[in-house]
Amino acid sequence: ILRHDPDKILVGEIRDQETAQIAINAALTGHLVFTTVHANNVLDVLGRFLNMGVEPYNFLSALTCILDPRLVRVICEHCKHEVHYEEDYLRESGLKPEEWSGERFMEGAGCFECGGTGYHGRTAIHELLDLTERIREMILDKRPASEIKRAATEEGMTFLRESAVEKVREGVTTLKEINKVTFIEG
């Protein structure tokens, strides 16, 4: 591939050390490499590389950022209506009732336009880990994921659940949908 001097390289999925090393070597030679790694969140990607036997200094030199996108269903505009959730459900959903009791929650009733589902289309939620020098040093020092997460939060990272909650606040999707698609951290 590199002999063709591509501007960008797409590696379908990294599942083993050999594929990881090929992608890393391509990135280290100045090529922009996009790839996928199956993991629950952006921090688990780091663990996946380590479990494949890739040295941290090796993949950190090649890595710019890690993006975790997910799709959530969008509430149908034709049957969208306001709903009220009990405080217990808000708590179960990881939301503080005192903060959310005044919020407007939307759901779709189901109509001809959405085939009775209450949803029509999808939108993305995401979390993006930007590998700053501080984060890179923490990974090289083999700091716990909780410390890396705290540092990323301090640097302004928005996590997947936060991105999803914002879509609920905007009335784009439902609380039920994001509870199905994301983990409730507690």
Side-chain angles (χ1 to χ4, degrees):
I1 292 172
L2 296 178
R3 287 190 185 130
H4 293 285
D5 192 29
D7 295 326
K8 299 167 192 79
I9 299 170
L10 175 65
V11 178
E13 181 183 346
I14 294 180
R15 290 185 183 197
D16 54 40
Q17 185 179 12
E18 183 182 8
T19 309
Q21 206 56 57
I22 290 168
I24 290 166
N25 289 342
L28 290 174
T29 59
H31 295 85
L32 182 59
V33 178
F34 295 96
T35 189
T36 61
V37 177
H38 286 272
N40 288 326
N41 57 51
V42 292
L43 296 172
D44 287 353
V45 171
L46 303 170
R48 293 276 295 147
F49 275 109
L50 294 171
N51 288 337
M52 284 182 223
V54 179
E55 290 296 324
Y57 65 86
N58 210 350
F59 71 82
L60 286 176
S61 301
L63 209 52
T64 305
C65 64
I66 305 170
L67 176 69
D68 180 7
R70 307 260 173 102
L71 293 176
V72 292
R73 296 180 295 173
V74 173
I75 303 169
C76 175
E77 288 296 326
H78 300 280
C79 61
K80 188 182 221 180
H81 68 283
E82 192 171 331
V83 294
H84 174 76
Y85 294 123
E86 298 297 323
E87 286 187 5
D88 288 342
Y89 186 68
L90 293 175
R91 270 190 215 93
E92 288 172 19
S93 299
L95 303 176
K96 295 177 182 169
E98 55 276 6
E99 282 181 36
W100 286 83
S101 60
E103 285 291 328
R104 292 180 50 204
F105 292 96
M106 307 302 279
E107 284 187 6
C111 65
F112 177 76
E113 294 294 325
C114 63
T117 64
Y119 298 97
H120 190 76
R122 295 182 187 266
T123 190
I125 57 173
H126 70 280
E127 63 184 3
L128 176 71
L129 177 63
D130 186 13
L131 282 127
T132 61
E133 280 306 311
R134 179 180 176 200
I135 301 287
R136 288 176 195 275
E137 287 172 12
M138 292 178 82
I139 295 166
L140 284 172
D141 291 342
K142 297 188 176 166
R143 306 303 311 155
S146 59
E147 283 185 34
I148 296 170
K149 183 177 181 177
R150 193 175 316 112
T153 302
E154 289 169 7
E155 293 181 3
M157 179 178 167
T158 301
F159 289 90
L160 195 64
R161 182 70 181 184
E162 294 166 348
S163 176
V165 166
E166 191 55 36
K167 294 286 186 184
V168 170
R169 183 172 264 136
E170 293 168 0
V172 173
T173 193
T174 65
L175 190 54
K176 291 175 184 172
E177 177 71 0
I178 70 162
N179 287 345
K180 189 172 78 173
V181 174
T182 64
F183 295 109
I184 300 168
E185 297 178 17

